C-alpha cells in the first residue's frame, strides 16, 4: 500500500496506493466534515485545488443523514461524486469533543447527539460498521482522545482500553471484509465501483498516551504488533504546547514502522506541517485552512493576511501574487474584502478555495524539496515565515 521513495534526514517522500488512486506523500487531507467542505466548496471545485484526498467525519455523517442512507446511495464516493481517495475518522474524537452526557464503558461510549439530544452509542464494532457503510479507502480505529493534560493513571488505563478496542476493530473489519467479498452487486453500484469497494479497506491504528513519553512508546509498541496498514498519532493539538507536541512526535516516530504511512491527526498550521514532515510524518488533516478563510484570514507565501483590515480597501492585488488558485487568478483583495464586509457568501467561498489550494501547494513544494534534497533550506526559509502575521491595519 505504501512505498517510501526517498528520505531527506527524517523527512519522507513516498506514494500511497488506494482503491481510488495513488496519493503522493507527504499530503494534506481536505476536510469535508459533513461530506462537504465548509464554505460552499464542491467536489467539482476540489479538482482545481490540487486536492488529492478528502477526509469525512463519521460522527457527523452517522447523525445526519446516517451511514445507511449513504450506503444505499452507493457509498460516500458516489454520494459526493468524488472519485479520488477518502479517509473517514472513527467518530471517537467528535464523541469526546462535541457530544454531551458522555459515559465511557468497556463496550464503547454512550452519548447524546449535539444536534437533537438523541441518545446514541458507538463502540469499536459500530464505528467499523459505520465506516464500511460510508465506504472510505482508509478508516480509523475507534479510540479515546484524551485531553491534555490528564492524570498519568487515567491515561495509562485509557491506552490499555484503546488497545483492546483496536483488537475489536480488527476482528470486526475481518467480518465486514468477508461480507463485502460475498456481495455480488447492488442496484446503486456499478461494477468498477464494486471492484474498488471490494479491495481491502485500510484500517489505521491510533497512538495515544497524552504527553507521557513512556506511555506513548508502550502504546505505540503494542499497536505496531497488530501489523496494520498505517499508524496515526492522535491526541495532539488538544491543549498541549507546541514544544510538547514536537517532543511527542520525536519520541514515538522511532517506534513506527518505516514501511507504513504515518498520520498526525488534526494538525495544523503550515509551520506545524513543515516541522512535522521534518520529524517523519506523511499525512495531515486540519479544519484550519477552511475555518480561518471563512473568517477572512488567508495563508500566503509571505505570511498570514487578515483580509478585513482597512488597508486592503483599495488593494487591487490578488490575495497572494505568487498563487495560481482560481481566486487569485480572478479576484482582488479589495473585492473579497468588500464581500466579507457585505456578508456575501461568496467571500468565504473564494477565501476557502485559496487556503485549500495554498495547503495543497505547500505539500507539493515540500515533496519537491525532499526529492531535490533541499528540504532543510525550504524549512529554514518558510517554517517561521508562513506563521508570521502580515502587518496591516
Ligand atoms: Zn490563491
Amino acid at each position: 500500500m505504501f512505498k517510501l521513495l526517498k528520505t531527506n534526514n527524517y523527512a519522507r517522500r513516498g506514494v500511497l496506493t488506494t482503491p481510488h488512486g495513488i496519493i503522493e506523500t507527504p499530503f494534506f487531507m481536505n476536510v469535508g466534515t459533513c461530506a462537504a467542505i465548509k464554505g460552499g466548496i464542491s467536489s467539482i471545485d476540489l479538482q482545481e485545488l490540487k486536492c488529492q484526498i478528502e477526509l469525512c467525519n463519521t460522527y457527523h455523517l452517522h447523525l445526519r443523514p446516517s451511514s445507511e442512507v449513504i450506503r444505499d446511495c452507493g457509498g460516500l464516493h458516489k454520494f459526493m461524486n468524488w472519485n479520488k481517495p477518502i479517509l473517514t475518522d472513527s467518530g471517537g474524537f467528535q464523541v469526546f469533543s462535541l457530544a454531551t452526557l458522555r459515559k465511557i464503558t468497556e463496550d464503547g461510549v454512550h452519548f447524546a447527539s449535539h444536534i437533537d439530544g438523541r441518545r446514541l452509542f458507538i463502540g469499536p464494532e459500530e464505528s467499523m460498521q459505520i465506516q464500511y457503510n460510508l465506504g472510505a479507502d482508509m478508516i480509523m480505529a475507534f479510540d479515546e482522545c484524551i485531553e491534555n493534560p490528564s492524570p498519568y493513571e487515567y491515561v495509562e488505563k485509557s491506552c490499555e482500553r484503546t488497545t483492546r478496542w483496536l483488537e475489536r476493530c480488527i476482528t470486526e473489519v475481518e467480518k465486514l471484509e468477508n461480507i463485502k467479498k460475498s456481495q455480488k452487486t447492488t442496484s446503486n453500484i456499478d461494477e468498477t465501483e464494486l471492484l474498488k469497494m471490494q479491495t481491502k479497506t485500510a484500517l489505521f491504528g491510533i497512538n495515544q498516551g497524552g504527553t507521557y513519553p513512556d506511555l506513548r512508546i508502550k502504546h505505540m509498541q503494542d499497536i505496531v504488533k497488530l501489523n496494520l496498514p498505517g499508524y496515526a498519532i492522535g491526541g495532539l493539538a488538544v491543549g498541549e504546547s507546541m514544544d510538547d507536541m514536537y517532543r511527542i512526535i520525536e519520541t514515538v516516530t522511532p517506534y513506527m514502522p518505516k514501511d507504513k504511512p504515518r498520520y498526525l491527526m488534526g494538525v495544523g498550521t503550515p509551520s506545524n506541517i513543515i516541522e512535522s514532515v521534518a520529524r517523519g510524518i506523511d499525512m495531515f488533516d486540519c479544519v484550519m485552512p477552511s475555518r480561518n478563510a471563512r473568517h477572512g484570514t488567508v495563508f500566503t507565501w509571505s505570511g498570514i493576511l487578515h483580509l478585513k483590515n482597512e488597508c486592503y480597501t483599495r488593494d487591487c492585488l490578488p490575495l497572494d501574487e505568487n498563487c495560481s488558485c482560481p481566486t487569485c487568478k480572478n479576484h482582488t483583495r479589495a473585492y473579497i474584502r468588500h464581500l466579507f464586509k457585505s456578508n456575501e457568501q461568496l467571500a468565504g467561498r473564494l477565501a476557502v478555495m485559496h487556503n485549500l489550494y495554498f495547503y495543497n501547494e505547500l505539500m507539493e513544494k515540500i515533496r519537491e524539496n525532499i526529492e531535490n534534497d533541499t528540504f532543510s533550506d525550504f524549512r529554514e526559509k518558510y517554517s517561521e515565515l508562513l506563521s508570521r502575521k502580515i502587518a496591516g491595519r
Side-chain angles (χ1 to χ4, degrees), residues 323 325 328 354:
C323 180
C325 84
C328 290
H354 166 81

Side-chain angles (χ1 to χ4, degrees), residues 273-338:
I273 290 178
I274 294 172
E275 288 305 311
S276 303
V277 165
R279 290 164 171 82
I281 302 293
D282 311 305
M283 302 167 61
F284 300 90
D285 81 283
C286 192
V287 294
M288 191 180 286
S290 52
R291 181 179 289 165
N292 287 9
R294 283 181 280 121
H295 293 103
T297 300
V298 293
F299 295 98
T300 78
W301 290 100
S302 324
I304 298 168
L305 187 148
H306 294 292
L307 204 51
K308 290 181 186 171
N309 287 350
E310 184 97 37
C311 61
Y312 302 116
T313 309
R314 290 180 176 78
D315 190 331
C316 293
L317 291 173
L319 295 178
D320 185 335
E321 287 176 276
N322 297 310
C323 180
S324 307
C325 84
T327 303
C328 290
K329 277 196 292 193
N330 291 291
H331 298 293
T332 63
R333 293 171 182 174
Y335 176 61
I336 305 167
R337 181 181 186 277
H338 154 72

